[in-house]
């Protein structure tokens, strides 16, 4: 192959790059927003899709975030690809905070006194005692997801609208400069 790597990276390299990107977090986040601005679709569809992905990240259903975000985005007319980008809000760095917040809020809403997580917390404990951990996380995750939807939707919609206006203006200037009809 002409542009193939001489030494293919192993799994540990991919895991390390997932947890700490080689290009840095700031540039990775900027790249995601840059890709969002350039997506095809209306500003509503792009912002709503991303907001759906971000809001679904507040639920404890880890393996189903992509499917839930895509379904929710499809129902409200959002961009499906943007919903996949939105699930990036829930990542290994943010999940502990999201889950703790959802658990605490769920306990407040349910009126239970489970303010402290059990010492033997694990997947087996969660699924053997769903009312003690999973139910408060579900109940606390939905209001948090609704708030997250609005927190991400409005700024993203303004950002995409602004980018589309700038892009249309550039096309008009370019068309006038080179005498091309648009």
């Amino acid at each position: 192959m002409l542009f193939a790597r001489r030494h293919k990276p192993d799994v540990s390299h991919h895991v390390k790059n997932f947890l700490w990107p080689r290009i840095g977090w700031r540039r990775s986040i900027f790249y995601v927003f840059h890709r969002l601005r350039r997506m095809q679709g209306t500003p509503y569809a792009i912002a709503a899709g991303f907001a759906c992905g971000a809001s679904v990240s507040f639920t404890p259903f880890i393996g189903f975030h992509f499917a839930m975000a895509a379904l929710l985005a499809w129902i409200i007319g959002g961009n499906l690809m943007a919903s996949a980008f939105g699930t990036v809000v829930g990542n290994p760095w943010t999940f502990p905070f999201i889950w703790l917040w959802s658990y605490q809020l769920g306990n407040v809403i349910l009126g239970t006194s489970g303010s402290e997580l059990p010492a033997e917390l694990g997947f087996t404990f969660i699924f053997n005692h769903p009312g003690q951990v999973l139910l408060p996380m579900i109940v606390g995750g939905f209001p948090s997801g609704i708030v997250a939807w609005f927190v991400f939707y409005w700024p993203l919609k303004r950002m995409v609208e602004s980018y589309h206006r700038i892009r249309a203006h550039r096309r008009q200037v370019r068309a006038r400069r080179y005498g091309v009809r648009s």
Side-chain angles (χ1 to χ4, degrees):
M1 273 255 155
L2 188 60
F3 293 108
R5 288 180 174 228
R6 183 174 292 177
H7 304 286
K8 293 193 179 203
D10 58 346
V11 175
S12 65
H13 178 268
H14 290 295
V15 170
K16 179 182 160 197
N17 198 32
F18 177 74
L19 294 175
W20 196 267
R22 188 172 48 112
I23 61 174
W25 279 109
R26 183 174 179 214
R27 189 162 180 192
S28 295
I29 292 169
F30 178 77
Y31 178 75
V32 167
F33 283 113
H34 183 66
R35 294 293 302 161
L36 280 171
R37 291 186 315 183
R38 296 189 69 197
M39 276 187 172
Q40 294 293 321
T42 64
Y44 166 79
I46 295 168
F50 188 88
C52 288
S55 66
V56 165
S57 294
F58 282 83
T59 64
F61 309 116
I62 290 188
F64 302 105
H65 283 171
F66 282 119
M68 289 171 59
L71 180 66
L72 186 59
W74 179 72
I75 289 171
I76 66 169
N79 188 309
L80 299 181
M81 185 59 76
S83 71
F85 277 129
T87 60
V88 168
V89 170
N91 59 58
W93 295 101
T94 60
F95 274 140
F97 301 109
I98 289 172
W99 290 336
L100 186 61
W101 168 257
S102 296
Y103 178 73
Q104 296 290 345
L105 182 63
N107 280 325
V108 168
I109 291 171
L110 292 172
T112 57
S113 63
S115 61
E116 202 170 300
L117 289 171
E120 304 166 1
L121 186 62
F123 284 116
T124 56
F125 181 84
I126 290 172
F127 289 110
N128 289 338
H129 304 91
Q132 194 172 355
V133 178
L134 193 60
L135 182 64
M137 287 177 76
I138 293 170
V139 170
F142 281 113
S144 301
I146 291 169
V147 169
W149 194 93
F150 288 106
V151 165
F152 283 99
Y153 173 75
W154 293 113
L156 219 58
K157 185 176 182 213
R158 277 187 251 138
M159 180 183 75
V160 173
E161 284 174 342
S162 170
Y163 182 77
H164 283 194
R165 261 188 268 119
I166 291 168
R167 198 169 176 190
H169 178 70
R170 284 183 192 158
R171 279 193 207 132
Q172 289 175 350
V173 168
R174 199 174 298 131
R176 275 188 259 133
R177 182 181 299 151
Y178 297 113
V180 177
R181 293 182 190 165
S182 55

